[in-house]
């Protein structure tokens, strides 16, 4: 997880304020437009960052797993954001009051630098999401999204429903069903009710092509291995 990238002294400064929490699928971490009072360092599972337009159109703008942190914008003086964050795959996190984090990073700039580097990678992820949505097919985008989830879960099995996927990919459920059938027909995945298993990762990455990989490479360049 991200906290493992800190040296001992910086981690020990945070440790007394951290508490472990379990968050079920669909559990909200930070609602949109509300004051961010808690910061979460994800330990397992996958958190989805979702933006809803004034006319109720929904799109996922990023995902965060054990490589990252959610609700850290208060360290730059931003106490609310227009997007919401919730767990798309249930997991655990270490949390602490956002104000406490702000106080600690004033004395421990290495913590602020690490979080800033992660936020840079998250911005790169949003940029590649825009590229994928503009230029890649639903099958290619689905392949990308499954690879990103697998990276963060460290497992071939991903618990997801077609309804959830339709929201994440901003397409109709029937379109997700067709895309899933196409990937399964090609032998790349195996789809069961509420679960998708990645069967051939290399071929899935080839299908995703240029829609996948840039943020992950950037993470490894400036922070280290995506999973520790």
């Amino acid at each position: 997880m991200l906290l493992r990238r800190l040296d001992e002294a910086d981690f020990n400064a945070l440790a007394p304020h951290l508490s472990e929490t379990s968050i079920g699928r669909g559990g909200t971490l930070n609602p949109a437009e509300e004051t961010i009072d808690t910061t979460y360092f994800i330990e397992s599972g996958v958190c989805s960052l979702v933006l809803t337009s004034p006319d109720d159109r929904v799109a996922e703008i990023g995902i965060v797993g054990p490589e990252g942190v959610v609700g850290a914008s208060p360290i730059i003086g931003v106490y609310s954001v227009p997007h919401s964050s919730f767990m798309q795959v249930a997991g655990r996190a270490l949390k602490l009051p956002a104000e406490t984090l702000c106080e600690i990073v004033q004395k421990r700039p290495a913590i602020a630098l690490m979080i800033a580097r992660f936020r840079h990678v998250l911005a790169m992820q949003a940029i590649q999401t825009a590229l994928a949505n503009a230029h890649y097919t639903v099958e290619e985008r689905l392949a990308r999204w499954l690879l990103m989830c697998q990276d963060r879960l460290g497992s071939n099995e991903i618990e997801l429903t077609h309804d959830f996927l339709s929201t994440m990919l901003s397409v109709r459920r029937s379109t997700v069903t067709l895309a899933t059938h196409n990937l399964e027909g090609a032998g790349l995945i195996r789809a069961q009710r509420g679960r998708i298993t990645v069967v051939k990762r290399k071929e899935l990455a080839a299908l995703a092509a240029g829609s996948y990989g840039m943020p992950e490479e950037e993470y490894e360049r400036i922070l280290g291995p995506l999973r520790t």
Side-chain angles (χ1 to χ4, degrees):
M1 65 181 182
L2 190 63
L3 289 175
R4 292 197 183 102
R5 306 187 188 283
L6 294 171
D7 66 25
E8 185 176 1
D10 287 325
F11 177 78
N12 288 341
L14 287 172
H17 309 283
L18 296 169
S19 60
E20 189 169 9
T21 183
S22 296
I23 312 168
R25 181 193 290 185
T28 300
L29 281 69
N30 296 129
E33 307 292 356
E34 295 189 14
T35 299
I36 296 172
D37 56 14
T38 305
T39 301
Y40 299 85
F41 291 91
I42 307 299
E43 286 198 301
S44 64
V46 178
C47 177
S48 186
L49 310 180
V50 174
L51 184 66
T52 303
S53 70
D55 56 352
D56 293 325
R57 303 189 189 201
V58 181
E60 183 181 67
I61 58 175
I63 64 173
V64 180
E67 86 289 358
V69 58
V70 176
S73 62
I75 70 170
I76 58 170
V78 177
Y79 285 86
S80 66
V81 292
H83 61 270
S84 62
S85 54
F86 67 92
M87 296 301 285
Q88 61 170 263
V89 178
R92 294 174 292 106
L94 291 175
K95 66 177 183 177
L96 78 164
E99 282 293 347
T100 301
L101 178 63
C102 291
E103 293 169 4
I104 292 172
V105 299
Q106 294 292 325
K107 302 173 184 177
R108 297 281 178 177
I111 300 174
L113 178 60
M114 180 191 71
I115 292 173
R117 286 176 171 171
F118 170 71
R119 288 170 63 85
H120 160 73
V121 173
L122 194 60
M124 296 300 100
Q125 188 189 131
I127 289 169
Q128 192 166 49
T129 296
L131 174 71
N133 290 345
H135 294 290
Y136 289 81
T137 66
V138 174
E139 284 81 5
E140 291 164 339
R141 289 161 52 201
L142 175 58
R144 169 187 183 252
W145 197 84
L146 292 172
L147 290 165
M148 291 171 64
C149 286
Q150 187 187 31
D151 287 339
R152 287 151 180 84
L153 293 170
S155 170
N156 291 336
E157 294 189 354
I158 306 168
E159 294 186 4
L160 299 165
T161 65
H162 286 195
D163 284 335
F164 192 88
L165 281 170
S166 69
T167 299
M168 297 305 98
L169 297 174
S170 300
V171 296
R172 294 180 178 179
R173 187 185 188 283
S174 58
T175 303
V176 169
T177 299
L178 179 59
T180 301
H181 286 168
N182 288 342
L183 266 59
E184 188 170 30
L188 307 185
I189 65 172
R190 183 169 61 253
Q192 299 168 294
R193 186 175 181 85
R195 177 176 299 179
I196 293 177
T197 302
V198 174
V199 177
K200 295 182 179 179
R201 179 182 170 89
K202 183 177 179 180
E203 289 80 357
L204 202 63
L207 175 62
S211 72
Y212 166 75
M214 181 271 289
E216 289 74 19
E217 291 175 2
E218 186 72 349
Y219 188 98
E220 298 205 349
R221 183 178 75 84
I222 66 174
L223 283 166
L226 194 63
R227 293 188 63 85
T228 57

